[in-house]
Amino acid sequence: MTGRDGGADLIAVGNTPVVVLVRPQLADNIGAVARAMANGGLFHLRLVAPRDGWPQEKAWRNASGADRLLDAATVHETVADAVADLHFVLATCPRPRHIIKPVLTARGAAAELRSVCGRDLRAGILFGPERAGLDNDDMAHASSLVRYPLNPAFMSLNLAQAVMIMAYEWWTAEEATPPRYFMTNETKPATKGQLEGLLTHLVAELDESGFLRNQAKRPGMVRNIRHLFQRSDVTEQELRTLHGIVTELSHGRGK
Amino acid sequence: MTGRDGGADLIAVGNTPVVVLVRPQLADNIGAVARAMANGGLFHLRLVAPRDGWPQEKAWRNASGADRLLDAATVHETVADAVADLHFVLATCPRPRHIIKPVLTARGAAAELRSVCGRDLRAGILFGPERAGLDNDDMAHASSLVRYPLNPAFMSLNLAQAVMIMAYEWWTAEEATPPRYFMTNETKPATKGQLEGLLTHLVAELDESGFLRNQAKRPGMVRNIRHLFQRSDVTEQELRTLHGIVTELSHGRGK
C-alpha cells in the first residue's frame, strides 16, 4: 500500500496531539513512527533523551517522505520538559500494575484526544522505549493510561506499530462525538508545567518539614504524589488554591 | 510496548482469516507482518511468489517470537492457488479505481471477516507488494476491496502497518455483532477454487468460440469476467447451474 504523493502539506495542521517518544532506542523506529504519524494525521513529534542522539540520518531514510515531521521534532531531556505545555497527557502501557489511573482502549483514547483538542487544549501521548516500555516515573506524568485490545498471548508490539494504531484511531475518530466534558468554560485544566510547579513547591516544603527524610522511600513517595495530582485533572483555579494551601501550611509550622 | 511471553500457544486457534502477502519484496517486512498478525490474533500466513524466495532468515529475526507462524507459512505460485480453498477474499487497496466492487473500511472488513468465520467459512485478505500494491489481476480474486480511513495527503503505508491495522480491527471486532448474512443455511458460497473451475470452463469455451480472439484485449476481458463472478458471491448451487449453462450453450453451437 504505497503512494508517492506524501510530504508537501504534512505540517499544515491544526491542534493535533503530540507524540512523545520516551528514550527511543532505534533511529529506524523513529523514522517509522514519523511515517505512521503522517498516515494518521499526527504531526507533532517530541523525543525524550533518544539513546543514540539526534538527528540520526537513519530516521529520515525510514520515514518514506514524512521528512518535515522529523525536521520539526524537538528533543527534550526529561518527560516533564516534553509535556510542560500540554494540558492532557496519556501514557501507553500494555500491562498497567499498581497504578490508580483510568485505563483507556486506543479507541477510547482517540475519543478523549478529539475532545481535548476540540476544546483548544493541548494533548500528548507518551510511548516508551522499545525494550522496556514506560517506567512508573514516566507514567506519573499522565492523567490516563492506554492499553490496546490485542492478543494477550503475544504482547511484543513494535514501537511504530503502537503509534500506528493510535494514529489510525485518531484519524478514524474524527467524526465521533466527544464522550466526556468534565470542565466548564469558566476555568481550564492546568498545563503539566503549571502542575509541576505545584509539585516542586510542595516537595520543597515536604523536604524542609522532614516528611521526605527517608531517602530510600523518597522517590516512590514523590511519584505517588505526582500520580495523584495527574489523576485529578487539576484546573488553573484549583492550582492557585493548592499553592496557597501549601504556603499557608508551611507558614503554620512557624516559618 | 514489549512483553516476553509470546510464542508458546500462538497456533492454538480456531477459524481465523488467512493473510496472503502477494509478491512481498522484503523478508524484514514478512517478519514484521508475522509479528503484527500475532498481536491481533491472526495466525495463517501465505506467501505468493516472494521476491527473494523462502524461507529467509531475516523474517524470523524480525518476527520477535512469532516463529511458529512463519514456520507454518505456505508459499504459492499464484494468487489463484493461494486462495483456492477460501470462500471469502478481501483485497487491500488504497485507491480503488475502475473496479466495480464494494469498498470496506478496515473496521467494516473486520466485521465481515468475523461474520464469515463465524459461519465456518474460510476467509482471506490480500496485501500487495511494498512498492506497487496489488494489481488489477490480483484484485480480481477478491469479492470486496478494503480501503483504510487514513490521511489522504500521506498514503505511503508500510506493509506491516497495513497488516497491523487489519489485525487490530480483527481482534477488536471480536464482540461485534455480524453485520450481514446474505446466505441461508441451505447452500454456501463456492470456494475460490470452485469459482476458478467455472472460469476455466467458461474461458475455454469462449476461446473456442472465437469470443476472445483479440489477443491484446483478452487479458482484460478475462479479468473483467473474474471481477464479475467474485462480486456476486456465487454459491455452490449456482456454480453447478452456471457450469450447466456454459456446457449447454457450447453444445448449442453445434458441438
Side-chain angles (χ1 to χ4, degrees):
Chain A
M1 285 190 138
T2 303
R4 278 159 206 80
D5 49 2
D9 287 330
L10 276 183
I11 308 293
V13 288
N15 181 21
T16 55
V18 175
V19 169
V20 183
L21 301 186
V22 180
R23 300 183 301 281
Q25 299 176 304
L26 300 171
D28 278 350
N29 279 344
I30 299 173
V33 162
R35 183 179 181 180
M37 287 173 63
N39 288 142
L42 296 174
F43 303 100
H44 306 299
L45 178 63
R46 296 179 185 176
L47 308 174
V48 176
R51 185 188 67 184
D52 299 333
W54 190 256
Q56 290 281 331
E57 197 200 332
K58 267 188 171 181
W60 274 259
R61 276 210 304 271
N62 217 23
S64 292
D67 292 8
R68 292 177 60 190
L69 203 157
L70 289 173
D71 298 342
T74 54
V75 178
H76 305 260
E77 283 189 21
T78 62
V79 173
D81 182 53
V83 303
D85 65 328
L86 305 179
H87 299 94
F88 180 74
V89 175
L90 299 174
T92 52
C93 170
R95 273 169 279 185
R97 283 180 184 141
H98 315 303
I99 298 176
I100 313 299
K101 281 189 182 170
V103 179
L104 306 168
T105 62
R107 197 160 299 166
E112 291 269 341
L113 292 169
R114 285 279 172 189
S115 167
V116 169
C117 291
R119 282 146 56 215
D120 281 332
L121 301 174
R122 287 182 298 278
I125 322 156
L126 307 179
F127 293 88
E130 287 88 335
R131 194 168 285 273
L134 296 170
D135 66 26
N136 270 346
D137 282 318
D138 302 325
M139 286 188 268
H141 292 276
S143 48
S144 299
L145 306 179
V146 185
R147 181 169 45 179
Y148 299 169
L150 284 172
N151 183 4
F154 189 81
M155 297 281 281
S156 171
L157 185 63
N158 170 270
L159 176 58
Q161 301 283 38
V163 172
M164 182 77 251
I165 288 174
M166 200 61 240
Y168 164 75
E169 285 287 7
W170 162 259
W171 186 270
T172 307
E174 195 182 7
E175 295 299 314
T177 306
R180 193 177 82 171
Y181 282 95
F182 51 87
M183 296 293 172
T184 73
N185 287 329
E186 290 151 37
T187 183
K188 61 179 189 173
T191 66
K192 297 306 178 184
Q194 291 168 331
L195 201 56
E196 200 64 26
L198 174 69
L199 287 166
T200 304
H201 182 183
L202 177 60
V203 168
E205 293 295 349
L206 294 177
D207 272 329
E208 199 176 321
S209 78
F211 185 78
L212 296 173
R213 63 184 168 274
N214 185 330
Q215 287 301 311
K217 290 191 176 172
R218 188 179 181 283
M221 292 176 75
V222 171
R223 187 169 61 227
N224 286 342
I225 296 169
R226 180 174 279 118
H227 270 302
L228 170 65
F229 280 110
Q230 293 291 354
R231 203 169 67 223
S232 55
D233 296 322
V234 181
T235 67
E236 288 182 343
Q237 172 70 48
E238 290 165 342
L239 205 68
R240 283 191 293 273
T241 306
L242 288 166
H243 271 292
I245 289 172
V246 173
T247 301
E248 187 64 26
L249 292 178
S250 310
H251 285 169
R253 273 206 327 276
K255 279 177 77 175
Chain B
M1 285 187 138
T2 302
R4 279 159 206 83
D5 47 4
D9 287 331
L10 276 184
I11 308 292
V13 288
N15 181 23
T16 55
V18 175
V19 169
V20 183
L21 301 186
V22 180
R23 301 182 300 281
Q25 298 176 305
L26 300 170
D28 278 350
N29 280 341
I30 300 173
V33 162
R35 183 179 180 181
M37 289 172 61
N39 287 144
L42 296 175
F43 303 101
H44 305 299
L45 177 62
R46 296 178 185 177
L47 308 174
V48 176
R51 186 188 67 184
D52 300 333
W54 191 257
Q56 290 281 331
E57 197 200 334
K58 268 188 171 182
W60 273 260
R61 276 210 304 270
N62 217 21
S64 291
D67 293 8
R68 292 176 60 189
L69 203 157
L70 289 174
D71 298 343
T74 53
V75 179
H76 304 261
E77 283 189 21
T78 63
V79 173
D81 182 53
V83 302
D85 64 329
L86 306 179
H87 298 95
F88 180 74
V89 175
L90 298 174
T92 52
C93 171
R95 275 170 278 186
R97 284 180 184 141
H98 315 302
I99 299 177
I100 313 298
K101 280 189 182 170
V103 178
L104 305 169
T105 62
R107 198 160 299 164
E112 290 269 340
L113 291 169
R114 285 280 173 190
S115 166
V116 169
C117 291
R119 283 143 58 215
D120 281 333
L121 301 173
R122 286 181 300 277
I125 323 157
L126 308 179
F127 292 88
E130 287 89 335
R131 194 169 286 273
L134 296 170
D135 66 25
N136 271 345
D137 282 319
D138 301 325
M139 286 188 268
H141 292 277
S143 49
S144 300
L145 305 179
V146 185
R147 180 169 45 178
Y148 298 168
L150 284 172
N151 182 5
F154 190 82
M155 298 281 282
S156 171
L157 185 63
N158 171 270
L159 175 59
Q161 301 284 37
V163 172
M164 182 76 251
I165 289 174
M166 199 62 241
Y168 165 73
E169 286 287 7
W170 162 259
W171 187 269
T172 307
E174 194 182 8
E175 296 299 315
T177 308
R180 193 177 84 171
Y181 282 94
F182 52 87
M183 296 293 173
T184 72
N185 285 330
E186 288 152 36
T187 181
K188 62 178 187 175
T191 66
K192 297 305 178 185
Q194 291 168 330
L195 201 56
E196 201 64 26
L198 173 68
L199 286 166
T200 303
H201 182 184
L202 177 60
V203 168
E205 293 295 350
L206 293 177
D207 272 331
E208 199 177 321
S209 77
F211 185 78
L212 295 175
R213 63 184 169 276
N214 184 328
Q215 287 301 311
K217 290 191 176 173
R218 188 179 180 283
M221 293 176 74
V222 171
R223 186 170 61 227
N224 285 342
I225 297 169
R226 179 174 280 120
H227 269 303
L228 171 66
F229 280 111
Q230 294 290 355
R231 203 169 67 223
S232 55
D233 296 322
V234 181
T235 66
E236 288 182 344
Q237 171 70 49
E238 289 165 343
L239 204 69
R240 283 192 293 273
T241 306
L242 288 166
H243 271 292
I245 289 173
V246 173
T247 302
E248 188 64 26
L249 291 178
S250 311
H251 285 169
R253 272 206 327 278
K255 279 175 80 172

